[in-house]
Amino acid sequence: MLSICVFASGRGSNLQALLDAIAAGRVAARVLLVISNKSAAGALEIARARGIPALHTSDTHFRGEADYCHHLLDLLRAHRCDFIVLAGYLKKVPAEVVQKYKDRIINIHPALLPSFGGKGLYGHHVHEAVLAYGCKVSGATVHLVDLEYDSGAPILQKCVPVYETDDAETLAARVLEAEHEILPQAVQLFAENRVTIRGHRACIAPSPR
Ligand code: GAR
């Protein structure tokens, strides 16, 4: 059973999808802590409504990156979290946390990486870029987190069509459905210990069932 800390900056629909999948018995994990860099994040409300500790913490509250990093690591240790899910988290995770939780941090991104990822490409910016390029497909990627934005090995990806009538909002809604499907699935792959990292590739062992 994975013991998860979710980092989120926004409304929290991916957190909700994960909690729903856990409650439905589709994911063998528990969310023990939710952390947000935004005090008004919907994700914090969703967590509190379920009795999950939900904390607002930001690097701006600390004297420097090292202090902030130690605070995060203390929280993760105190809540006994062994896995981190970035669910709409729009900040970089400090390098020391990434190193301590190597291959134990995943992120959901609203495009088919490695296209339309990297610094500045988040949320609606991604969908606007996809539409401006004239792509015929987009989608969602769950990937491992390393020291750069959106550059770790993909775990799961799901395509959706892009229609000529789309705007960023309609495309975002279609991609979000894909996100809600693959994020819990990816967590379950880790819960079943089916992910092996070889170089930049995440290899998924077949289901034992
Ligand atoms: C999601 O679309 C997620 O993919 C995106 O933020 C949204 C958060 O929605 N994340 C990024 O763009 C990160 N690069 P949510 O708060 O409803 O889960």
Side-chain angles (χ1 to χ4, degrees):
M1 167 93 58
L2 293 182
S3 298
I4 296 175
C5 175
V6 173
F7 285 56
S9 302
R11 99 202 113 173
S13 72
N14 277 289
L15 167 65
Q16 181 79 58
L18 177 58
L19 292 171
D20 289 348
I22 291 170
R26 285 184 278 118
V27 175
R30 50 200 176 164
V31 175
L32 298 181
L33 178 64
V34 173
I35 288 177
S36 182
N37 59 314
K38 299 276 181 201
S39 60
L44 292 176
E45 292 306 311
I46 289 170
R48 287 179 188 135
R50 302 228 186 176
I52 299 166
L55 304 174
H56 166 226
T57 184
S58 160
D59 53 357
T60 58
H61 302 163
F62 295 86
R63 269 180 307 159
E65 162 119 345
D67 286 3
Y68 174 54
C69 196
H70 291 146
H71 174 67
L72 287 180
L73 288 170
D74 284 348
L75 285 175
L76 291 163
R77 209 174 301 119
H79 290 268
R80 299 181 186 283
C81 298
D82 57 19
F83 197 84
I84 298 173
V85 174
L86 309 186
Y89 187 63
L90 303 183
K91 299 277 284 185
K92 224 175 192 177
V93 178
E96 205 181 323
V97 177
V98 173
Q99 276 146 7
K100 283 252 159 60
Y101 283 78
K102 186 170 161 32
D103 298 340
R104 309 287 294 167
I105 312 181
I106 60 173
N107 177 47
I108 179 81
H109 184 76
L112 297 172
L113 293 173
S115 294
F116 304 106
K119 193 169 166 53
L121 279 167
Y122 60 88
H124 67 96
H125 299 292
V126 174
H127 306 298
E128 280 158 9
V130 167
L131 290 169
Y133 196 86
C135 291
K136 303 300 183 193
V137 293
S138 188
T141 302
V142 178
H143 64 92
L144 283 177
V145 170
D146 62 14
L147 295 175
E148 303 304 325
Y149 279 112
D150 304 324
S151 77
I155 308 295
L156 287 176
Q157 296 187 293
K158 184 173 170 124
C159 291
V160 304
V162 178
Y163 300 122
E164 281 165 19
T165 51
D166 270 332
D167 58 21
E169 209 174 308
T170 57
L171 179 56
R174 197 173 307 116
V175 170
L176 195 63
E177 279 183 34
E179 295 180 39
H180 294 169
E181 211 177 297
I182 65 172
L183 182 63
Q185 285 173 356
V187 173
Q188 179 59 8
L189 290 176
F190 282 91
E192 291 177 355
N193 221 0
R194 288 171 56 200
V195 182
T196 306
I197 311 303
R198 296 201 186 103
H200 194 271
R201 293 183 67 190
C203 304
I204 312 295
S207 169
R209 275 170 266 138

